[in-house]
C-alpha cells in the first residue's frame, strides 16, 4: 500500500514564476492537508480539502496561493508569482476521515532564486 | 492561536540512555500526536494519545498526557543512533477545527554512539 506521494521532491523557481506542487493521498483516503515548514521550524497548517471541496483554508496566504483536490487526480498546491519568502518545504498529509491520524508525504522543497 | 512548544529545543545523549521530550499546548484538544522527522525528510507518525488517555506505550516509546497541565512527554528508552531526528508534537485544536494539526517547534535529538 503506497504512502502519500508528492512530486516533485525538489523544485527551483525564479522570482515571478509559478510553482505547482502535487500530492496523491494514500489509497482510500479522501482528506488532504497541506502544511508549510520553514527552516528550523515546525509545520504550519495551510489548507484542508476533501474531494472537490476546500474545507478550511485559514492558513493560506490571501494572495498568490491556491489549492484544489479534483474528483480525479492529485491535489495541487499552486503558488503564483513566487517570491524568495516562499522558499520552504511543503508537506501534504492524508487521512481516511477527519480527526484521524494524518500520514505525511516526503515533501516538496521549493527554492526560489 | 494555539501553538505547541517542545522542550528542550535540542537534546544530545549517549546511545543506550533514555531521552525525554516535553510538549505544552494552550487550548482544549481531541488528541495529541508525536511525529519524527529525519533531516530533510518527511514526518513519520509515532503515536497518538487521546484526551481521555493518560499514558500509552509503543515499543521503546512511552507517551504521557496531562490535560490539566496541558502537557505531554515522549520518552524513548534505550536510545539508538537511528533515533537521531527531530521530534514534534501536534495537537488538533477543537476551537479552530479538529482537522488541522498544530505543531510545535520540535526537539532536535542527537544520539551519540
Amino acid at each position: 500500500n503506497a504512502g502519500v506521494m508528492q512530486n516533485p521532491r525538489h523544485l527551483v523557481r525564479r522570482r515571478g514564476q509559478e510553482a505547482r506542487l502535487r500530492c496523491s493521498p494514500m489509497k482510500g483516503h479522501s482528506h488532504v492537508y497541506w502544511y508549510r515548514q520553514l527552516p528550523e521550524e515546525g509545520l504550519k497548517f495551510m489548507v484542508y480539502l476533501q474531494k472537490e471541496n476546500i474545507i478550511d483554508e485559514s492558513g493560506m496566504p490571501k494572495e498568490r496561493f491556491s489549492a484544489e483536490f479534483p474528483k480525479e487526480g492529485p491535489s495541487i498546491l499552486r503558488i503564483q508569482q513566487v517570491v524568495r519568502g516562499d522558499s520552504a518545504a511543503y508537506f501534504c498529509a492524508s487521512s481516511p476521515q477527519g480527526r484521524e491520524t494524518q500520514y505525511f508525504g516526503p515533501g516538496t522543497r521549493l527554492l526560489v532564486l | 492561536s494555539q501553538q505547541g512548544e517542545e522542550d528542550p529545543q535540542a537534546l544530545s545523549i549517549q546511545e543506550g540512555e533514555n531521552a525525554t521530550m516535553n510538549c505544552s499546548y494552550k487550548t482544549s484538544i481531541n488528541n495529541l500526536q508525536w511525529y519524527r522527522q529525519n533531516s530533510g525528510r518527511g514526518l513519520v507518525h509515532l503515536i497518538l494519545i487521546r484526551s481521555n488517555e493518560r499514558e500509552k506505550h509503543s515499543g521503546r516509546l512511552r507517551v504521557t498526557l496531562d490535560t490539566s497541565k496541558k502537557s505531554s512527554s515522549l520518552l524513548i528508552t534505550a536510545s539508538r543512533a537511528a533515533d537521531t531526528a527531530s521530534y514534534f508534537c501536534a495537537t488538533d485544536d477543537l476551537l479552530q477545527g479538529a482537522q488541522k494539526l498544530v505543531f510545535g517547534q520540535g526537539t532536535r535529538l542527537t544520539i551519540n554512539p
Side-chain angles (χ1 to χ4, degrees):
Chain A
N1 185 15
V4 177
M5 299 175 67
Q6 290 187 248
N7 67 81
R9 295 290 303 276
H10 299 274
L11 183 61
V12 179
R13 285 287 179 267
R14 298 192 180 279
R15 281 179 295 169
Q17 291 183 320
E18 178 180 286
R20 279 185 177 241
L21 288 62
R22 289 177 289 277
C23 168
S24 297
M26 287 180 70
K27 188 176 180 180
H29 288 193
S30 59
H31 298 240
V32 166
Y33 315 79
W34 285 93
Y35 294 83
R36 178 165 63 177
Q37 184 179 34
L38 295 172
E40 306 300 323
E41 293 190 10
L43 279 70
K44 297 288 193 294
F45 169 81
M46 298 181 76
V47 62
Y48 162 43
L49 310 102
Q50 295 179 28
K51 283 286 187 180
E52 299 185 277
N53 286 303
I54 297 174
I55 307 302
D56 182 344
E57 57 181 348
S58 58
M60 289 279 271
K62 294 285 186 268
E63 298 176 346
R64 302 187 297 108
F65 284 71
S66 62
E68 62 177 9
F69 189 16
K71 187 176 180 180
E72 301 290 338
S75 175
I76 305 288
L77 179 67
R78 182 183 179 204
I79 311 173
Q80 295 178 291
Q81 299 175 333
V82 296
V83 300
R84 286 198 175 135
D86 297 332
S87 295
Y90 292 83
F91 290 94
C92 167
S94 72
S95 68
Q97 301 176 30
R99 300 192 178 193
E100 294 290 334
T101 297
Q102 296 180 20
Y103 296 89
F104 282 79
T108 293
R109 279 150 186 83
L110 172 65
L111 175 63
V112 179
L113 301 177
Chain B
S1 62
Q2 173 185 355
Q3 181 175 6
E5 295 182 2
E6 279 94 346
D7 167 47
Q9 290 190 337
L11 179 63
S12 180
I13 61 174
Q14 294 300 120
E15 195 168 18
E17 293 180 338
N18 295 341
T20 299
M21 290 158 275
N22 303 296
C23 166
S24 61
Y25 57 92
K26 296 180 181 176
T27 65
S28 299
I29 62 171
N30 234 5
N31 57 59
L32 183 145
Q33 305 181 59
W34 284 91
Y35 287 84
R36 183 186 75 225
Q37 183 180 35
N38 289 85
S39 181
R41 307 293 289 274
L43 276 73
V44 174
H45 183 260
L46 296 177
I47 198 164
L48 179 152
I49 185 165
R50 302 194 185 281
S51 58
N52 61 353
E53 297 176 310
R54 292 295 168 259
E55 187 171 313
K56 205 161 182 179
H57 297 255
S58 176
R60 293 184 296 112
L61 305 180
R62 173 177 168 253
V63 168
T64 63
L65 179 65
D66 187 336
T67 52
S68 66
K69 295 181 179 178
K70 292 186 167 58
S71 67
S72 172
S73 68
L74 170 67
L75 169 67
I76 303 175
T77 60
S79 63
R80 305 168 182 169
D83 294 330
T84 294
S86 290
Y87 291 82
F88 295 91
C89 70
T91 55
D92 59 350
D93 189 337
L94 285 182
L95 297 179
Q96 295 190 39
Q99 294 85 3
K100 68 178 72 168
L101 295 180
V102 180
F103 285 83
Q105 298 282 76
T107 292
R108 289 185 301 281
L109 176 64
T110 302
I111 307 299
N112 302 303

